[in-house]
């Protein structure tokens, strides 16, 4: 095996391969151009069209499109009436927004540990975190895989907790046959460019419950209603609107909705290719004893967003940093998902301490994310596999 590029050898590939990339085709471009030539750049027909399409996809009864996945989590927490004194249990292996949304509302995020095999929140750890102040659970379908929802829903039912599913990674995944969006009380999506479908920026909140859905919509639109019945009741004409609570402007534009709708038409294709890439990675890495393959919760038919390379560093002469740097030098754009949220200085300033979730910390120390996106070619994937083999062979004890 040749020398690592990190130490002056030839890299596995000449050009850099990023870990994720949007796929935009002519139909997407046309969809956006059509809106630009129309009467409505925002608050127009594409918003309702996207909301309907997401309900159709997921079986949810209600959907509100919002400006991004973080806004979606924020209004979901507001709809769940999270406030000062309330605790919300979530996972540290997520993007900070899943926990920040609780802080925005004045609540306290409580971090449950992850299952070391699936990397998603461990139901037993959730149970141990429940107190009389616990109001909700925010589960995160990390990598796109559904969490163990049979167990999580049972805990929520037992303790009367609302379940918010952060499905930023998992659009298109099903859990025991039910599409994500129809599993939890509230489900949030993100349409950031590295996600399975994109709107540039965008998000959505889905729900079966009309009361929750109404609150979501109010909070996302300044707390203002234009409810027709109300308007009639109060004897006004159609200029009338009413602010009922303090909300935000979290609207998604028609431009973004048109792009999301166009992307949604390709979702099946996107998922099929991602599944194919995951199968090939799994097959290649099962033969390498230093690699640990992610297990998925039983019942998850996964539309995979991320592929995690987890390594057994007891068998290697290096740490994650060296391995990561070596992969980068081979021109493979690895990434790390995620630094456990409570290790950030901001969370440390709130009193959270290292050691809180040992499985999450061990996972973080031993993992990195490999490229996975629809537009990746077979050659790209072969390069990634070759680079992993090359770096492991070099550092093998
Ligand atoms: C798990 C998770 N939750 C929430 C978000 C926030 O989504 P957005 O970037 O659209 O605000 C992201 C995306 O970055 C995410 O990965």
């Amino acid at each position: 095996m040749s020398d690592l590029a990190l130490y002056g050898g030839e890299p596995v590939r000449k050009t850099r391969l990023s870990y994720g990339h949007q796929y935009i085709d002519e139909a997407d471009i046309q969809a956006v151009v059509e809106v630009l030539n129309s009467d409505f750049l925002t608050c127009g027909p594409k918003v309702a069209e996207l909301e309907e399409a997401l309900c159709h996809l997921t079986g949810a009864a209600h959907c509100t499109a919002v400006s991004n996945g973080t806004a979606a989590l924020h209004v979901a927490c507001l709809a769940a009436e999270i406030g000062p004194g309330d605790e919300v249990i979530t996972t540290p292996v997520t993007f900070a927004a899943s926990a920040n949304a609780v802080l925005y509302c004045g609540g306290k995020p409580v971090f449950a540990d992850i299952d070391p095999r699936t990397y998603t929140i461990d139901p037993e750890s959730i149970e141990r975190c429940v107190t009389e102040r616990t109001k909700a659970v925010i589960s995160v379908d990390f990598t796109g895989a559904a969490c163990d929802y049979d167990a999580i829903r049972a805990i929520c039912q037992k303790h009367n907790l609302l379940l918010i599913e952060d499905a930023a990674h998992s659009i298109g995944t099903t859990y025991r046959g039910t599409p994500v969006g129809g599993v939890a009380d509230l489900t949030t999506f993100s349409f950031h460019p590295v996600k399975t479908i994109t709107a540039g920026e965008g998000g959505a909140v889905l729900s079966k419950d009309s009361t929750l859905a109404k609150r979501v919509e109010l909070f996302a639109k300044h707390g203002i209603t234009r409810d027709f019945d109300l308007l009639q009741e109060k004897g006004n004409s159609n200029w009338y609107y009413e602010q009922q609570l303090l909300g935000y402007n979290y609207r998604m534009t028609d431009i973004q909705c048109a792009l999301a709708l166009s992307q949604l038409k390709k979702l099946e294709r996107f998922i099929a290719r991602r599944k194919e890439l995951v199968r090939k990675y799994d097959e290649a890495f099962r033969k390498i004893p230093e690699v640990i393959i992610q297990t998925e919760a039983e019942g998850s038919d996964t539309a995979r967003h991320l592929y995690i390379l987890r390594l057994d560093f007891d068998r290697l002469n290096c740490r994650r940093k060296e391995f990561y740097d070596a992969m980068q030098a081979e021109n493979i754009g690895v990434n790390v998902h995620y630094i456990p949220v409570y290790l950030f200085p901001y969370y440390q300033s709130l009193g959270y301490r290292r050691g809180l979730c040992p499985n999450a910390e061990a996972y973080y120390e031993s993992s990195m994310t490999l490229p996975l996106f629809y537009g990746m070619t077979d050659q790209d994937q072969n390069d990634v596999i070759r680079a992993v083999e090359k770096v492991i062979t070099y550092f093998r004890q």
Side-chain angles (χ1 to χ4, degrees):
M1 183 67 62
S2 56
D3 262 355
L4 293 186
L6 185 65
Y7 303 133
E10 271 294 300
V12 156
R13 53 184 282 138
K14 294 219 171 346
T15 56
R16 200 182 134 77
L17 180 69
S18 63
Y19 91 90
H21 200 275
Q22 69 273 16
Y23 177 82
I24 300 290
D25 63 12
E26 202 44 46
D28 295 326
I29 294 166
Q30 279 318 309
V32 170
V33 169
E34 249 172 57
V35 173
L36 291 174
N37 284 319
S38 79
D39 290 332
F40 294 99
L41 300 188
T42 191
C43 302
K46 291 295 166 192
V47 182
E49 231 183 277
L50 176 64
E51 291 170 345
E52 270 168 40
L54 291 172
C55 285
H56 181 73
L57 173 77
T58 62
H62 309 276
C63 174
T64 300
V66 292
S67 43
N68 53 62
T70 304
L73 283 161
H74 186 192
V75 291
C77 286
L78 289 166
E81 299 183 81
I82 307 300
D86 294 330
E87 295 178 357
V88 178
I89 300 170
T90 191
T91 170
V93 177
T94 184
F95 184 61
S98 319
N100 288 348
V102 179
L103 294 176
Y104 295 158
C105 300
K108 181 183 171 194
V110 173
F111 293 99
D113 209 348
I114 59 163
D115 179 319
R117 295 164 306 126
T118 63
Y119 319 148
T120 55
I121 197 164
D122 176 4
E124 283 178 20
S125 183
I126 295 179
E127 183 85 61
R128 285 195 293 276
C129 290
V130 174
T131 71
E132 71 277 7
R133 290 182 297 280
T134 310
K135 198 146 184 185
V137 171
I138 300 180
S139 58
V140 179
D141 298 332
F142 178 56
T143 74
C147 303
D148 179 356
Y149 283 114
D150 281 351
I152 293 172
R153 284 189 300 205
I155 293 166
C156 288
Q157 213 162 14
K158 178 172 156 198
H159 299 284
N160 197 24
L161 311 175
L162 205 94
L163 179 59
I164 300 172
E165 181 175 357
D166 180 344
H169 296 186
S170 61
I171 190 166
T173 291
T174 62
Y175 179 72
R176 299 205 189 282
T178 304
V180 160
V183 176
D185 296 304
L186 289 159
T187 303
T188 62
F189 285 148
S190 161
F191 306 128
H192 180 275
V194 294
K195 302 296 191 290
T196 304
I197 66 159
T198 188
E201 292 274 1
V205 186
L206 298 117
S207 174
K208 277 179 269 194
D209 180 289
S210 63
T211 307
L212 281 174
K214 267 196 187 131
R215 285 175 60 78
V216 164
E217 185 163 11
L218 265 182
F219 278 115
K221 296 178 181 169
H222 305 277
I224 286 175
T225 181
R226 286 179 185 272
D227 186 302
F228 185 72
D229 295 338
L230 184 85
L231 185 146
Q232 295 291 305
E233 250 172 52
K234 301 208 170 172
N236 294 308
S237 193
N238 60 1
W239 77 79
Y240 188 74
Y241 60 88
E242 196 169 273
Q243 183 179 347
Q244 297 182 328
L245 43 78
L246 186 62
Y248 299 81
N249 176 2
Y250 282 162
R251 288 190 301 256
M252 191 170 169
T253 65
D254 280 59
I255 305 167
Q256 294 164 316
C257 289
L259 179 53
L261 276 161
S262 177
Q263 290 261 300
L264 213 43
K265 290 187 189 143
K266 295 184 272 286
L267 180 63
E268 237 176 83
R269 250 203 292 154
F270 286 172
I271 292 172
R273 176 63 177 154
R274 282 173 175 272
K275 281 186 172 178
E276 187 178 35
L277 291 164
V278 168
R279 261 196 307 275
K280 189 163 160 190
Y281 273 146
D282 281 350
E283 250 169 52
F285 298 144
R286 242 184 225 112
K287 298 180 196 134
I288 307 179
E290 290 85 354
V291 178
I292 300 155
I293 310 268
Q294 180 182 355
T295 305
E296 291 178 358
E298 207 191 307
S300 179
D301 183 359
T302 304
R304 196 72 84 83
H305 163 54
L306 297 175
Y307 191 91
I308 304 298
L309 177 72
R310 189 161 188 207
L311 294 157
D312 180 354
F313 280 99
D314 289 342
R315 292 164 171 260
L316 295 166
N317 277 318
C318 68
R319 304 286 297 249
R320 197 259 314 270
K321 182 192 175 319
E322 255 174 318
F323 200 105
Y324 176 96
D325 291 345
M327 290 292 289
Q328 290 285 351
E330 301 297 334
N331 272 324
I332 307 297
V334 283
N335 204 327
V336 174
H337 295 90
Y338 287 100
I339 302 162
V341 174
Y342 63 79
L343 293 181
F344 288 130
Y346 180 70
Y347 277 82
Q348 295 279 299
S349 79
L350 299 178
Y352 296 90
R353 290 289 170 260
R354 188 174 287 278
L356 186 61
C357 298
N359 293 340
E361 291 178 28
Y363 159 81
Y364 165 59
E365 294 298 338
S366 59
S367 65
M368 68 195 72
T369 310
L370 296 182
L372 182 72
F373 55 96
Y374 176 75
M376 233 176 123
T377 64
D378 290 344
Q379 184 56 52
D380 290 335
Q381 187 173 34
N382 289 340
D383 291 344
V384 179
I385 293 168
R386 269 201 311 133
V388 170
E389 287 168 350
K390 178 178 171 183
V391 177
I392 286 186
T393 305
Y394 186 90
F395 286 120
R396 189 166 268 153
Q397 285 189 354

